[in-house]
Amino acid sequence: MQLSSKEARIYVAGHRGLLGQAIVRHLRHEGFGRLILRTRAELDLRNQAEVQRFMAAERPDYIVLAAARVGGILANDTYPADFINDNLLIQNHVLQAAAAEQVSRLIFLGSTCIYPREAPQPIPETSLLTGPLEVTNRWYAVAKIAGVTQCQALRKQHGCDFVSLMATNLYGPGDNFDLATSHVLPALLRKFHEARVRGRRTVSVWGTGTPKREFLYSEDMADACLFALRIPESALYAMAPDGLLNVGTGTDISINELCDLLVRVVGFKGTIVHDRSKPDGTPRKLVDVSRMKALGWQASTPLKRGIEQTYAWYKTTENAC
Ligand code: GFB
């Protein structure tokens, strides 16, 4: 089934997550009416027999594997076993079942933390497995490296069209704003918001504020996923013989610069206190986006606009004070 047909059956694994939600919105907006979606309660992707039964019954044409255990620097460091176990199980089961059902294309989602801590910046896809990983998230990174490698192996041995997209730090409406487990952007957006509303004079920012991160709006990432589903196979693997495509904006900013932006959007008037007992993580992980650019895709949402839209959404949620 060609993706040009709106009848294509597309399974979005992880459709309740930040990226999954955005992908479903994009697919529906484009008129795809035969989406296959399962909540965690309906289908536990860590259970191989359940996944095999589901996949054999549904037989999707395309899969976007956006289901994963994800979280910010502290969650990665606090729950290493959950991060490595759950991700290995989820991806192993879905990839194997997808190969057995011969889906037309599968998009495997990973993260730029798979690259070595000291990789050259911007980081090309060819840096994979060339050096030691950042320690705070190596559990998650090792799982994702296994997933990328499994996609390569399934392609080599069985001809599976499984492509891996490595996303930079995503943010957007529907993100996790839990301060203990979230990524930096939603965490600080919430902290500045609550401080302003409650009249607090200081906000705690973890680490030194000097690490740099590349932030990508979840709607742009969803757009990249749909784009990747459509790239003709010959063009895709000519550009990415290893089946890996970095997806980012091409620019990064320091955590301190991110704070300046958030403070302006939220209207916080107090001061920042750095909590140096918390880890900085990797100093920088800007990715080389030239493969995606050459294939014809670029991010389109400026960071300030993305933050404004995320903040507008956050204020409508029950969690916002
Ligand atoms: O987004 P984040 O949690 O994860 O943190 P990573 C990025 C940077 O923001 C670190 C600083 O230097 C943090 O110390 N930071 C400052 C904060 N204040 C806060 C705060 O209140 N909350 C949080 N969370 N950070 C993750 C990986 O790394 O990135 C994942 O652990 C994944 O595996 C993801 O790859 C994209 O960018 O360091």
Side-chain angles (χ1 to χ4, degrees), residues 37-282:
L37 310 172
R38 292 289 185 281
T39 62
R40 201 173 304 173
E42 290 165 342
L43 173 64
D44 183 354
L45 294 174
R46 295 169 302 179
N47 181 317
Q48 185 167 28
E50 274 188 44
V51 175
Q52 282 170 341
R53 268 197 304 274
F54 157 78
M55 208 70 89
E58 294 294 337
R59 305 207 64 197
D61 299 307
Y62 294 88
I63 297 178
V64 184
L65 178 41
R69 179 174 283 272
V70 298
I73 192 164
L74 193 63
N76 272 262
D77 213 25
T78 313
Y79 307 107
D82 293 349
F83 274 78
I84 192 163
N85 292 345
D86 288 356
N87 285 308
L88 284 173
L89 290 172
I90 291 168
Q91 67 204 31
N92 185 31
H93 298 160
V94 175
L95 293 175
Q96 284 201 59
E101 297 306 327
Q102 301 181 331
V103 301
S104 299
R105 177 167 290 170
L106 177 143
I107 305 275
F108 175 68
L109 285 151
S111 153
T112 56
C113 70
I114 64 163
Y115 295 117
R117 179 183 159 94
E118 304 298 336
Q121 310 279 325
I123 312 172
E125 289 87 347
T126 49
S127 286
L128 187 66
L129 293 172
T130 56
L133 300 166
E134 155 64 25
V135 290
T136 50
N137 53 31
R138 68 190 161 114
W139 329 97
Y140 175 78
V142 165
K144 287 293 174 183
I145 292 169
V148 170
T149 312
Q150 194 171 0
C151 289
Q152 293 167 337
L154 288 164
R155 176 165 172 77
K156 184 171 156 70
Q157 190 176 336
H158 300 299
C160 297
D161 184 351
F162 290 2
V163 58
S164 299
L165 298 193
M166 296 302 114
T168 57
N169 291 48
L170 300 180
Y171 71 97
D175 208 344
N176 168 20
F177 284 79
D178 178 297
L179 295 180
T181 58
S182 63
H183 290 97
V184 59
L185 196 153
L188 291 180
L189 191 57
R190 175 173 177 176
K191 286 186 193 176
F192 288 127
H193 170 77
E194 290 185 354
R196 178 179 64 74
V197 171
R198 296 186 174 143
R200 290 196 200 118
R201 296 173 56 182
T202 58
V203 159
S204 164
V205 173
W206 298 352
T208 60
T210 56
K212 297 183 96 176
R213 294 291 183 269
E214 181 179 1
F215 296 99
L216 178 66
Y217 196 44
S218 53
E219 299 293 328
D220 283 3
M221 185 64 207
D223 187 56
C225 289
L226 266 65
F227 179 87
L229 278 173
R230 292 189 166 112
I231 306 169
E233 194 170 351
S234 53
L236 199 164
Y237 294 102
M239 180 61 65
D242 50 13
L244 256 176
L245 292 170
N246 288 338
V247 188
T249 60
T251 50
D252 58 359
I253 61 169
S254 70
I255 300 304
N256 284 333
E257 288 167 325
L258 173 70
C259 288
D260 292 345
L261 254 179
L262 292 168
V263 160
R264 271 189 279 138
V265 171
V266 172
F268 171 68
K269 303 270 186 262
T271 53
I272 285 166
V273 178
H274 287 282
D275 176 358
R276 286 164 206 264
S277 70
K278 296 285 194 308
D280 263 349
T282 197

Side-chain angles (χ1 to χ4, degrees), residues 7-28:
E7 293 303 304
R9 295 167 52 73
I10 307 172
Y11 171 40
V12 182
H15 72 286
R16 291 243 175 116
L18 169 65
L19 178 59
Q21 291 174 45
I23 292 171
V24 168
R25 274 196 295 276
H26 280 238
L27 287 167
R28 289 202 169 125

